[in-house]
Amino acid sequence: DTAVSQTPKYLVTQMGNDKSIKCEQNLGHDTMYWYKQDSKKFLKIMFSYNNKELIINETVPNRFSPKSPDKAHLNLHINSLELGDSAVYFCASSQYPFSGIYEQYFGPGTRLTVT
Amino acid sequence: QKEVEQDPGPLSVPEGAIVSLNCTYSNSAFQYFMWYRQYSRKGPELLMYTYSSGNKEDGRFTAQVDKSSKYISLFIRDSQPSDSATYLCAMSAEGNQFYFGTGTSLTVIP
């Protein structure tokens, strides 16, 4: 069974379109994240949700809107896509957000290409 | 200045070599230090973590943290072709937010 799954795996779309990426985890974790990895492999956190509540909201354009319908799901909707949005988007989850060491489990990534 | 600096490489070594990967950081509040391994077209997976300063060993892997110098290292002994991947360091102050390095691409040549 896949621990953290994302759909779609590849997404090619044109500038100006709106698209969504879905993420699901079956680990029973309380906290989920969205990361963006650029072409130089730099991994930067975008959002974090704990039990459906937004706890980290880094400086990202408000064209990006996360939505957590329940603690096992965290979706990312992107409006008015731009060329610079092309990257690999990773979803991750972890169990203990604020105490001690915890392991983040990453999904396989969604490779977004904006043309 | 980025929170975490990591030499992107690429690094290419022969099989059996000792590999040294390093990161420096600027935030003295960081207490949790992690190394992730990322194979091509896969998500990162946690390899090792340490808390505060000191060393930690796990098989062929050793993680070192020097908080006074704001410098962390990952050593891989007897490197294998299966170790070929990108290695990302990550750090956190109180476990609520990670800051990642840019990753070092490693190739171990048989």
Side-chain angles (χ1 to χ4, degrees):
Chain A
D1 262 351
T2 305
V4 182
S5 59
Q6 293 178 231
T7 53
K9 201 166 182 181
Y10 298 95
L11 186 54
V12 181
T13 188
Q14 291 185 329
M15 283 175 56
N17 285 349
D18 302 338
K19 289 293 178 186
S20 290
I21 307 172
K22 294 186 176 183
C23 178
E24 178 181 0
Q25 55 96 1
N26 61 8
L27 298 165
H29 288 167
D30 295 324
T31 306
M32 296 184 72
Y33 311 80
W34 277 111
Y35 285 88
K36 179 181 179 181
Q37 189 172 46
D38 61 25
S39 57
K40 294 182 180 177
K41 294 285 191 179
F42 182 54
L43 196 63
K44 185 168 168 49
I45 192 165
M46 300 173 70
F47 302 103
S48 175
Y49 269 75
N50 178 39
N51 274 324
K52 304 193 298 174
E53 183 183 341
L54 182 66
I55 54 171
I56 294 174
N57 184 359
E58 284 297 289
T59 308
V60 300
N62 56 16
R63 299 181 294 105
F64 290 80
S65 53
K67 282 193 172 48
S68 182
D70 55 60
K71 73 173 193 177
H73 296 84
L74 181 62
N75 304 324
L76 183 65
H77 188 76
I78 315 170
N79 289 328
S80 304
L81 277 155
E82 298 177 358
L83 292 176
D85 297 333
S86 296
V88 181
Y89 291 84
F90 285 102
C91 176
S93 74
S94 67
Q95 189 159 9
Y96 302 111
F98 291 113
S99 59
I101 288 286
Y102 61 102
E103 179 171 355
Q104 290 193 353
Y105 292 82
F106 284 81
T110 295
R111 189 170 295 271
L112 172 65
T113 303
V114 182
T115 61
Chain B
Q1 184 189 6
K2 282 190 181 141
E3 298 268 3
V4 180
E5 298 281 354
Q6 183 175 7
D7 185 343
L11 190 60
S12 186
V13 301
E15 184 174 353
I18 296 174
V19 176
S20 172
L21 305 166
N22 311 295
C23 287
T24 58
Y25 62 95
S26 55
N27 188 345
S28 57
F30 288 148
Q31 299 186 79
Y32 302 101
F33 303 92
M34 289 140 283
W35 286 96
Y36 281 77
R37 178 175 59 196
Q38 184 177 18
Y39 291 113
S40 181
R41 298 188 176 262
K42 300 283 187 185
E45 54 179 346
L46 184 66
L47 198 57
M48 295 188 72
Y49 69 81
T50 51
Y51 173 73
S52 193
S53 284
N55 295 356
K56 187 170 184 178
E57 191 173 318
D58 184 2
R60 297 184 294 110
F61 298 88
T62 300
Q64 286 186 352
V65 174
D66 181 349
K67 289 190 73 178
S68 61
S69 303
K70 298 191 179 72
Y71 187 89
I72 72 170
S73 301
L74 178 71
F75 297 96
I76 308 174
R77 289 185 301 281
D78 187 26
S79 55
Q80 302 295 308
S82 59
D83 296 329
S84 298
T86 296
Y87 290 80
L88 301 116
C89 62
M91 305 174 191
S92 178
E94 279 297 329
N96 60 340
Q97 188 166 343
F98 282 131
Y99 294 88
F100 281 82
T102 50
T104 300
S105 175
L106 170 68
T107 301
V108 180
I109 303 166

